[in-house]
Structure formats: C-alpha cells, structure tokens
Amino acid sequence: MTNVLITGMGAISPLGADRRQSFAAALAGRCAIGRAAPDIAQWLPQVLTAPAAAEPSSLLDPRCAGLDRATQFALVAANEALCDAGIAAHPDDARRIGVYVGIGFGGAQTVDALYARLQQTLRDNGNPAVMHPLSVPRMMANAAAAAVSMQYGLHGPSYTYSVACASSAVAIGEAFRAIRDGYLDAAVVIGAEAMLTPGAMLAWNALRVMAKPDADDVSRSCRPFAKGRSGFVLGEGAAAIVLESETRARSRAQAALGEVCGYGCSSDASHLTAPSSEEQVTAMRQALAQAGLEPGDIQYLNAHGTATEAGDVVETASIRAAFGAAAERLAVSSTKSMHGHLIGASGILEFVLSVMAMNAGALPPTATLDEPDPRCDLDFVPRTARHDCEVSAIMSNSFAFGGSNVSLVARRHD
Amino acid sequence: MLEDIVKSYLIDNKGKDPALFDNPDLLVSELKLDSLDMVEMLFEIEDRCGFQLPDPMRYAQMHFSAMLADIEQAIREHNNGELPAFDLQATSH
C-alpha cells in the first residue's frame, strides 16, 4: 500500500471563482447567500440560493457552451486542480489515472430546460418530438466524468458516484482506496452540482428543509448549530482534487498539499432523511482508525452542519461520541453558513477548504452562529475565523439523504 | 438560406474550413461528421421547421448539395409546397 497525496486542488463556488478566492472569502466570513433568481422567485418568493461567483462558461473554451452547467463547473474545477498539480492533457501514464466524480442530480439544468421546452411546444401546438439530440449525453449522471476524461485523455476508470450529499466525499474515498491499493497511480476527483433551476427548487421546497430569509440580513439566513436555525440554502459549483501515489508525486518532484489518510463510510439503513448518530460515529471512527490517528490528533473538523433541526443536534452528539474527551479541544465549523449546500459537490468543496485551513493554520468560521442551540455545545468557531492555529490533521463529514455517512481524514505532508 | 444555416453551423460549431463549401461536388462524407455530428447539424433545421427529418444517416452517402435539396423538399412537403423564411439564429439549444 502507498501513501496517497493531494497534489492539486481547484474550486468554483459561491465564495469565489477559484479555490484561493473561495478560501479567502470563507476566512472573511462572507456569506454568498441571496434571494433566488426571478425564474425561481416567481413561484417561491421566500426561497434563497447561493449561486456560483462566476459563470462557468466564461472560464471555458466556447465549445463547452452546450454542456450541462454541472459539467461546465466540473471542467473549471478540474482545470484548476490539474494545473495546480502540473498535469497536462494526455500524460504518458494515462491508463493509470482515473476520473472520480460525485454528483447528486446530474443534468438538472438540461432536464429543466427539456421540460420547459416541452411545455412551450405543447402550448404552441408544436411537435414535441423535436428535441436537441444531445439532451441525453448532457443530462446523464456521468457527463462530467466523460468530459474531463476526454479533455485530458485520461484512460483509467471513469466513475460517477451519486450518493446525495455524500457523493463527492465517496468519490474521494474510493479514489483514495484505488490508489492506496495499487489499482491506479493518480486520480482527478471532482464534485459538481448545478440545480438552481425552477423544477429542482420546487422539489426541494416541498421537503420543507430550506432556510427562511433572515429579516435583517438575507445573506446570513443559513445558521448551522444556532438556536434560530431554519434549514439550508442550496448552492452550486464544483471542487476538484488531484490524488497521487507518493511514488508518482516524488518521481516528478511534485509538492503535496496534504495526504488523504482516512476514509470511513457507513449506512444508517433506517430512515430516508432522518440521520442516525450510531452510524455517523462508525464512519468517523473508521476514518480515524484507518489514518492511525487518535481523536486528539485532529484539530479541525468541517461538519456536515446543514442547519436543519435534527441534523445539527445528531451530528453534535455523534462528534462527542466519536471524539470523547478530545471533543472539548476540537474546533468544528460548518462552512455551509457561507457557501450554502452544494449537495453532491459539498463534500469535496468542504474537504478542499479544510485542507487549505490545515495548511494556512486558519479556520473558517460558522459565520452566522450568533446564538448557539444549547444542544449544539461544541466549539463551532462562531462568527469569525480563527488564525495562528497549529493544525496537523483535519476531518470532513458528509452525511446524505438515504442514510450514507462519510468521514474523510487528511494530514499534513511536509 | 437553408444552405447558409447548415454551412454556418458547420463552420462555427464544428470547425469546418469554409473553403470546403466552394467545391460544388462536395460530398457529405468529406465533412467527416460522425453520427452525433450529423443529428446535431440536422437539429439546426428541425428546431426551426418543427419536425424531425427522417432517416438522417442516408445523407452520409450524398453530395452536400443533394442533401440540402432533400431537406428542402422535406420542408416543403410539410408546408404545402412553401419554404418558410428561417431565422439564421437558432431558436434554442
């Protein structure tokens, strides 16, 4: 087995057009949440969204204009991560490099546009059979993986994981395993999501899990672990990392941004949406055990922290159970307070921010935590970032509808 | 006009050399379009005329000019012999 290093990272998120902008905004406690666009607000005037800080198509070759928005996000993040890692298209060992993607609802924009066109065609007494021939390739869940593997000529396995909010965390974990166990030498891992569309937002609204607008400051409406929390805000974007065996990275003298060293995963097998503490604890303990770390070795944990009534209380209890006495010294934050919930992309975006926090010794806050829920009694880094911290290892949690729990551990690689 | 729509699409979206279309005997096969390229190209017409062109792969065996004539005939059959005025700009993608 080999060590698995992080040699590149990228992001396009509500907080910034790249990973450095995103991290700087997170440290500044800037909340990128606002009222939904008119096409959504006409039906859901109270709904909030966290749109990406940049239009992905503006950062890509014009030939990418026809791709689904989630695929465009994926390409932007992958371009940054691969550039960061110094990996160009068509590498000599292309068969040893895989593409691992996590996405919750692939092709949401294409599907919404398809039904909007169908409705309009029927209203106009037109022929609904005339539909764009690329509709299926655009909406298929593995469209992003296909686009990245084709653009970079990567011939290793091209996998897509759709595990709701844990999708891209699973993608990181599975790529980590494949490299650690010698099936691959490197992988591009991407999480992407783009479903700020009328159809998707109507569906999410029906679940009654969306945050209500804050009367004083709409941007501060998502309040994980706070007494007055009311739910999450959907965001969009993508993040990417390049994972590489230590041998491959050393052979080309590529510096590492960290090492992925622990991956825990479990399933609640109990309820479609309600979380289970027992299995969250299992995932965290598995990740720690695989990393060979004790709870006290982790200094920062990026919580799933969705700001739902049940989710935050259960996760707090789970962290306490997994970390024991070390929970008192653990800094925990939910960056969803700022960038919203990117569903399939949330796990990897939060992992990227966590690795950057580890390297910078600066912890992004739970920016909107003015008054904590007494049941959520950990150090949630309230309101402002914490600087000059010694961070040698981080954990990132992703807990999904459907009961999938994933915890990832990374440590410094100096 | 039909010719302009198809040529513009192939030049702007598929990177075809405009000089190719100077050849009156140009074969569709010389455009090196795969099956997906072909249906994408035809969608540019279908989107404007509101019906699907039948059996698109047969065009691969034709001259470019014969393909355009065939498409025009299909459109006229759907419009009582008329050829409607199409906007060069596609309506949607």
Side-chain angles (χ1 to χ4, degrees), chain A residues 1 17 26 37 52 73 113 165 173 214 253 262 271 284 332 381 390 405 414:
Chain A
M1 288 194 287
F73 280 132
C165 314
D214 184 282
H271 193 279
M284 285 187 267
V332 180
V381 194
E390 186 58 42
N405 307 300
D414 297 319

Side-chain angles (χ1 to χ4, degrees), chain A residues 63 66 113 117 126-135 137-138, chain B residues 13 36 39-41 43-44 46-48 50-52 91-93:
Chain A
R63 286 174 298 180
R117 180 187 169 100
N127 180 355
V130 179
M131 194 63 77
H132 197 286
L134 293 186
S135 297
R138 285 173 179 167
Chain B
N13 295 78
L36 202 52
V39 291
E40 277 187 87
M41 178 190 74
F43 178 73
E44 292 298 308
E46 295 169 340
D47 193 31
R48 291 170 170 88
F51 68 94
Q52 272 195 316
T91 53
S92 66
H93 285 271

Side-chain angles (χ1 to χ4, degrees), chain A residues 225-251:
Chain A
F225 306 112
K227 198 171 185 178
R229 66 187 180 278
S230 59
F232 58 80
V233 173
L234 276 185
E236 63 169 1
I241 61 174
V242 174
L243 296 181
E244 218 169 325
S245 71
E246 186 165 20
T247 308
R248 187 181 193 277
R250 276 191 175 173
S251 71

Side-chain angles (χ1 to χ4, degrees), chain A residues 44 57 77 79 127 152 209-210 214-215 218 260 307 342 348 373 412:
Chain A
L44 304 168
S57 58
N79 289 346
N127 180 355
Y152 284 92
V209 292
M210 314 294 280
D214 184 282
V218 167
V260 180
L342 275 66
I348 193 164
D373 181 335
R412 292 182 70 98

Side-chain angles (χ1 to χ4, degrees), chain A residues 37-48:
Chain A
D39 61 339
I40 297 166
Q42 66 176 320
W43 310 113
L44 304 168
Q46 297 299 305
V47 160
L48 307 171

Side-chain angles (χ1 to χ4, degrees), chain A residues 52-412:
Chain A
E55 276 302 307
S57 58
S58 71
L59 303 171
L60 296 168
D61 186 287
R63 286 174 298 180
C64 298
L67 299 174
D68 187 82
R69 188 172 175 84
T71 301
Q72 292 177 345
F73 280 132
L75 279 167
V76 172
N79 289 346
E80 186 187 0
L82 283 156
C83 180
D84 214 15
I87 296 177
H90 305 286
D92 292 340
D93 58 346
R95 286 199 172 78
R96 297 287 298 169
I97 303 177
V99 178
Y100 285 64
V101 173
I103 190 163
F105 292 80
Q109 187 200 41
T110 301
V111 173
D112 242 56
L114 186 152
Y115 283 109
R117 180 187 169 100
L118 176 61
Q119 288 174 331
Q120 187 61 48
T121 303
L122 294 175
R123 274 195 295 270
D124 296 344
N125 293 318
N127 180 355
V130 179
M131 194 63 77
H132 197 286
L134 293 186
S135 297
V136 169
R138 285 173 179 167
M139 75 172 78
M140 63 189 190
N142 64 330
V148 172
S149 66
M150 286 191 290
Q151 178 150 322
Y152 284 92
L154 302 177
H155 293 286
S158 170
Y159 292 147
T160 299
Y161 298 89
S162 190
V163 196
C165 314
S167 299
S168 54
V170 170
I172 293 172
E174 295 300 323
F176 158 68
R177 283 180 174 171
I179 296 168
R180 182 201 61 178
D181 295 345
Y183 293 99
L184 292 174
D185 294 326
V188 189
V189 188
I190 305 151
E193 202 71 79
M195 59 169 149
L196 303 185
T197 63
M201 294 301 292
L202 285 162
W204 278 104
N205 180 66
L207 271 171
R208 306 294 202 275
V209 292
M210 314 294 280
K212 295 178 176 61
D214 184 282
D216 297 325
D217 184 351
V218 167
S219 75
R220 295 174 61 81
S221 298
C222 180
R223 296 190 294 274
F225 306 112
K227 198 171 185 178
R229 66 187 180 278
S230 59
F232 58 80
V233 173
L234 276 185
E236 63 169 1
I241 61 174
V242 174
L243 296 181
E244 218 169 325
S245 71
E246 186 165 20
T247 308
R248 187 181 193 277
R250 276 191 175 173
S251 71
R252 60 193 194 96
Q254 176 66 32
L257 303 167
E259 177 190 349
V260 180
C261 54
Y263 168 42
C265 48
S266 65
S267 295
D268 293 345
S270 60
H271 193 279
L272 198 56
T273 57
S276 147
S277 182
E278 184 180 351
E279 294 307 321
Q280 291 180 358
V281 173
T282 299
M284 285 187 267
R285 284 181 174 157
Q286 281 180 357
L288 284 168
Q290 183 166 51
L293 297 176
E294 297 296 325
D297 296 328
I298 305 284
Q299 290 81 31
Y300 172 68
L301 189 155
N302 190 305
H304 188 57
T306 53
T308 58
E309 169 63 21
D312 289 4
V313 173
V314 170
E315 186 172 10
T316 301
S318 301
I319 293 169
R320 282 205 169 279
F323 281 76
E328 297 300 329
R329 299 182 298 281
L330 179 66
V332 180
S333 70
S334 171
T335 49
K336 287 187 178 75
S337 56
M338 298 175 281
H339 53 63
H341 195 343
L342 275 66
I343 310 296
S346 63
I348 193 164
L349 175 63
E350 292 159 20
F351 183 78
V352 165
L353 294 176
S354 301
V355 171
M356 293 183 79
M358 176 172 72
N359 291 328
L363 310 182
T366 307
T368 52
L369 186 52
D370 299 329
E371 187 179 0
D373 181 335
R375 298 169 295 172
C376 301
D377 55 356
L378 294 165
D379 170 10
F380 287 114
V381 194
R383 302 192 64 147
T384 55
R386 193 169 296 161
H387 296 273
D388 302 319
C389 304
E390 186 58 42
V391 185
S392 59
I394 60 94
M395 177 180 281
S396 182
N397 282 343
S398 298
F399 304 139
F401 278 0
S404 297
N405 307 300
V406 176
S407 294
L408 296 162
V409 172
R411 63 182 160 218
R412 292 182 70 98

